[in-house]
Amino acid sequence: LTPAGAGGGRRAGGVAADGKGVASYTHNVSMKVILPDATTLNINHANYVRGENELVLYNHHNGAATYANAYGNEVQIQLLEGETWNTTGTMKAKVTKVQHGVGGMPLDKDHAVLSGHGTMATAIEGLQVGDEITLDFEMRLDNEVVNVAQLIGGDHYSAMILEDGKIAQSGYWDELHPRTGFGVSQTRDTVFMLVVDGRSAISAGCTTKVLAEILKHYGAYNAVNWDGGGSSCICVRPFGPMNNGSDGRERACANGMF
């Protein structure tokens, strides 16, 4: 996760914390940490490689550790009792461990780690065990502030395939391929997940315009195109994959919507 609008170049679809579906043209993230002395620091990324003079927030979704190098400082934090992690809102936390010049701090489901390099390492080096900090996050989907539970970025083409009930007439992916579409109803109470097979004798695939037409037919009001090709797979528990993937077998993928 990268703040400051870096995700704005990709369409996104998912589910908000209130259970309603979301599909957006742009998504922008702001992440800040407020130190005990009221100093406010921008967090550059979450669960991403720490670069020069950057501050990165890691949690257990990154794996067993931060995997950051030793050229920085790392601060383990834990939310205060009664607080919950959100993508939008403020959260109070306390410092539970501090490491200087070690790197690779372990991660678990109960803690997160602020990892700083260069100027950001200096900015957090004064934190001590027991200090309380405030995390201030905000995620905007098409300028609407949303507390997101799950979100996946789609293609970088210029158009949402379906927006406010209207199918994109230009700027869409005009090639036949296996497709994965995600849509939401106008009230956002219903989500639609659709896979179209392709690259085979039984299915040529479709364009993202046709993908939008199918989703609209079944009631979607806004929709995005997710990764297709061999990554297009829809599973139903306990039966497993329900479509004929173009790779001939299920492809290992980094992301999925459940």
Side-chain angles (χ1 to χ4, degrees):
L1 181 63
T2 300
R10 288 186 176 273
R11 317 304 150 234
V15 181
D18 61 5
K20 291 184 178 292
V22 290
S24 69
Y25 182 79
T26 61
H27 50 291
N28 297 275
V29 183
S30 169
M31 297 189 294
K32 302 178 185 297
V33 56
I34 304 169
L35 304 184
D37 65 358
T39 298
T40 299
L41 305 175
N42 288 320
I43 299 173
N44 298 95
H45 310 283
N47 293 336
Y48 192 74
V49 178
R50 189 192 69 197
E52 184 178 2
N53 298 320
E54 286 188 339
L55 181 64
V56 181
L57 176 70
Y58 294 100
N59 63 21
H60 69 283
H61 295 299
N62 190 66
T66 66
Y67 304 113
N69 60 38
Y71 304 106
N73 297 324
E74 294 190 313
V75 176
Q76 184 189 72
I77 61 173
Q78 183 177 28
L79 292 184
L80 299 184
E81 186 175 354
E83 297 281 337
T84 56
W85 286 103
N86 295 294
T87 56
T88 291
T90 58
M91 295 145 281
K92 301 286 186 180
K94 64 180 178 180
V95 175
T96 51
K97 186 178 180 180
V98 177
Q99 284 186 175
H100 301 292
V102 177
M105 184 174 276
L107 295 166
D108 60 60
K109 64 181 181 62
D110 296 320
H111 299 86
V113 171
L114 288 167
S115 181
H117 175 274
T119 56
M120 284 301 188
T122 301
I124 64 172
E125 68 180 355
L127 287 172
Q128 299 179 359
V129 173
D131 283 349
E132 292 191 4
I133 62 172
T134 300
L135 298 162
D136 187 3
F137 295 172
E138 182 180 273
M139 178 171 281
R140 287 181 175 268
L141 304 180
D142 292 340
N143 292 319
E144 179 185 354
V145 177
V146 180
N147 186 21
V148 172
Q150 299 185 71
L151 193 73
I152 297 179
D155 67 51
H156 58 275
Y157 279 69
S158 60
M160 281 188 68
I161 62 172
L162 178 64
E163 186 171 15
D164 295 337
K166 298 178 181 178
I167 296 169
Q169 300 300 309
S170 63
Y172 58 87
W173 199 334
D174 195 19
E175 297 173 359
L176 300 179
H177 291 292
R179 300 289 182 190
T180 304
F182 180 86
V184 301
S185 62
Q186 186 170 2
T187 61
R188 292 170 45 195
D189 291 322
T190 304
V191 299
F192 303 83
M193 291 186 281
L194 170 69
V195 162
V196 176
D197 284 333
R199 301 177 185 171
S200 72
I202 62 170
S203 177
C206 69
T207 68
T208 59
K209 181 179 179 181
V210 171
L211 188 70
E213 290 171 346
I214 300 171
L215 286 163
K216 181 178 180 179
H217 172 78
Y218 285 103
Y221 189 69
N222 289 292
V224 296
N225 174 57
W226 281 342
D227 194 25
S231 297
S232 286
C233 183
I234 192 163
C235 297
V236 176
R237 188 163 52 187
F239 308 109
M242 302 301 292
N243 66 305
N244 296 284
S246 63
D247 284 358
R249 57 185 175 85
E250 189 177 358
R251 178 183 292 184
C253 294
N255 297 306
M257 182 62 66
F258 297 87

